[in-house]
Amino acid sequence: MAIRAEETEIEVRAYRRRFSAAYKLRILAEADACTEPGAIGALLRREGLYSSHLATWRA
């Protein structure tokens, strides 16, 4: 008996990340404290965020 591919694949359900208000405020404070060139980019990479997150959270 051969196993078909449809029977062995696992569905991964995508989910939207949710950030607490305290986390947002902490990240915004860290971003505002960045003075060196590239420091905000390093912060975003470390946290797995996008610059659009900062813009939305500031608004």
Side-chain angles (χ1 to χ4, degrees):
M1 179 175 152
I3 297 176
R4 294 190 323 231
E6 300 91 34
E7 296 173 358
T8 60
E9 291 185 20
I10 298 172
E11 282 189 39
V12 178
R13 184 173 167 95
Y15 64 96
R16 184 179 299 257
R17 295 185 295 172
R18 295 185 181 168
F19 304 101
S20 69
Y23 176 79
K24 292 176 187 179
L25 289 173
R26 182 177 64 81
I27 295 300
L28 288 174
E30 280 188 53
D32 290 341
C34 292
T35 57
E36 298 293 320
I40 292 179
L43 169 67
L44 294 174
R45 283 189 299 276
R46 184 185 76 216
E47 297 294 328
L49 300 172
Y50 295 98
S51 59
S52 61
H53 284 115
L54 300 181
T56 303
W57 296 346
R58 284 187 175 121

